[in-house]
Amino acid sequence: MSDFGKIDREVFEEVIYPNLGAGREDVAVGPRHGVDFGVLNIGDRAVVVATDPISMLPELGWARAGRFALEVVLSDVAVSGVAPTHLAVSLTLPPSWSDDDLEACWTGFADHAERLGVSIVSGHTARYPGIDTSWVGGATVLGVGDHDDVVRPDGATPGDDIVVTTGPGAEATGLLATLFPEQLGLSPEAVATAQERVDDIAAVADARAAFEAGGVTAMHDATEGGVAGGLVEMASGAGVRFDIDAERMPMAPGVAAVCDAIDVDPWTVSSAGTLLCAVEPDASAGVVEALRARGTDAAVVGSVADGDGVFVDGERLSAPESDPSWDVFQRFSGA
């Protein structure tokens, strides 16, 4: 398995978690494996905080690359149920990026922030030697809201329904088809369909639609480890059992073809923008309707029960040790 991507749970528990600096009473939620964000108590307000690296891929087109990057960094706060409101950005750019490249990418990034109601309040932008990849910095996102509005990924309760948007593998499919179209061995039509999956990444607006529809008890974004990893993290964190019907899982056009071509299970690869939600049973139909009304495919795919683990058609589902898409990206890029 690849050594790229997030560190595994054992390293997190042994290295990161025991060493978190000063203990402060205003930290309501600190770092936890499988929890997307932290929460601060500031007076009577909850400040939700998350930090992520920034990846800007010129192959997407500069403006589109900016929009894609922003969606990814905002999603960890969006799944809290509190809308992201403020953003601090550090860009460490390759020397090969011109000022015109930066302008085109930044305009796409900032214009999308404006549409989502997010203010960029601080930052650092520079070029540095030795940087020659799409990983060009990091961002810290804040969302300010009420404590009662905070939805945690470990909040699923027996009796809840499980709602999934978009389906597995969409992000990895869209990126692989855009970055390595000739290496997939697919027809031009199949590649073009798969490339459209990049535009499925709309976690911020989808999370707002789901939350505002009511009844959401937990939300998680299916990033590294995909739908499989995300579902296992949610069930484990809540100490419950998920029962999933595979036939009810959404599957976006092009995903199966690309995942078959690279010989990976679409459930195990990164799918930023795919939301996994636990929803009170009398509210799940309304959540699905709200998501579909904004053009996002969504379905009730299972339910929450007493017990532990995730079971798909009666068989226990395991999280991947690491995201297999990293191996594919590494192989195709010759890294």
Side-chain angles (χ1 to χ4, degrees):
M1 300 296 287
S2 173
D3 290 329
F4 296 122
K6 290 182 180 179
I7 60 173
D8 62 30
R9 182 165 189 159
E10 182 178 354
V11 174
F12 175 83
E13 297 289 354
E14 291 182 0
V15 178
I16 303 299
Y17 187 70
N19 301 290
L20 297 177
R24 293 183 56 90
E25 293 183 358
D26 54 2
V27 179
V29 177
R32 297 287 188 279
H33 187 83
V35 176
D36 303 288
F37 51 82
V39 181
L40 302 178
N41 290 325
I42 306 297
D44 61 351
R45 304 290 277 168
V47 178
V48 182
V49 186
T51 295
D52 259 318
I54 292 177
S55 175
M56 290 187 178
L57 296 158
E59 295 85 351
L60 299 180
W62 287 111
R64 193 180 186 208
R67 293 194 302 271
F68 174 86
L70 183 66
E71 279 286 343
V72 173
V73 300
L74 295 182
S75 63
D76 281 352
V77 166
V79 297
S80 74
V82 173
T85 52
H86 301 84
L87 178 66
V89 183
S90 175
L91 294 179
T92 53
L93 305 176
S96 60
W97 280 34
S98 70
D99 289 349
D100 288 343
D101 296 336
L102 172 60
E103 180 181 6
C105 193
W106 182 255
T107 299
F109 188 93
D111 286 352
H112 195 46
E114 183 176 8
R115 284 191 294 271
L116 295 172
V118 176
S119 178
I120 300 167
V121 296
S122 180
H124 172 94
T125 305
R127 295 181 182 90
Y128 292 106
I131 297 174
D132 59 1
T133 74
S134 65
W135 297 99
V136 293
T140 295
V141 185
L142 305 177
V144 182
D146 295 330
H147 288 282
D148 291 343
D149 287 341
V150 175
V151 175
R152 291 174 50 139
D154 55 2
T157 302
D160 286 347
D161 285 338
I162 300 167
V163 173
V164 175
T165 71
T166 304
E171 177 205 4
T173 291
L175 294 180
L176 286 166
T178 301
L179 299 175
F180 310 107
E182 296 180 358
Q183 292 171 258
L184 294 174
L186 298 173
S187 70
E189 294 79 13
V191 169
T193 296
Q195 289 173 342
E196 294 173 357
R197 301 285 68 80
V198 174
D199 295 322
D200 291 339
I201 298 171
V204 179
D206 285 348
R208 295 308 303 157
F211 176 78
E212 290 171 2
V216 175
T217 60
M219 274 196 290
H220 202 17
D221 192 14
T223 50
E224 289 189 46
V227 167
L231 290 172
V232 170
E233 286 180 344
M234 289 179 72
S236 174
V240 295
R241 170 177 171 139
F242 285 5
D243 287 292
I244 306 295
D245 182 343
E247 289 189 357
R248 295 158 67 182
M249 181 68 69
M251 184 69 73
V255 171
V258 168
C259 289
D260 285 346
I262 61 176
D263 194 28
V264 300
D265 180 350
W267 286 49
T268 65
V269 296
S270 182
S271 194
T274 292
L275 295 182
L276 314 175
C277 306
V279 185
E280 295 170 358
D282 59 352
S284 58
V287 168
V288 169
E289 181 179 356
L291 289 161
R292 290 178 176 172
R294 61 172 317 278
T296 298
D297 193 11
V300 176
V301 302
S303 59
V304 182
D306 289 320
D308 68 273
V310 177
F311 292 81
V312 179
D313 299 337
E315 295 189 9
R316 182 180 282 271
L317 179 70
S318 297
E321 292 182 12
S322 66
D323 192 314
S325 63
W326 282 111
D327 293 318
V328 180
F329 280 106
Q330 183 181 16
R331 185 172 76 249
F332 282 179
S333 65

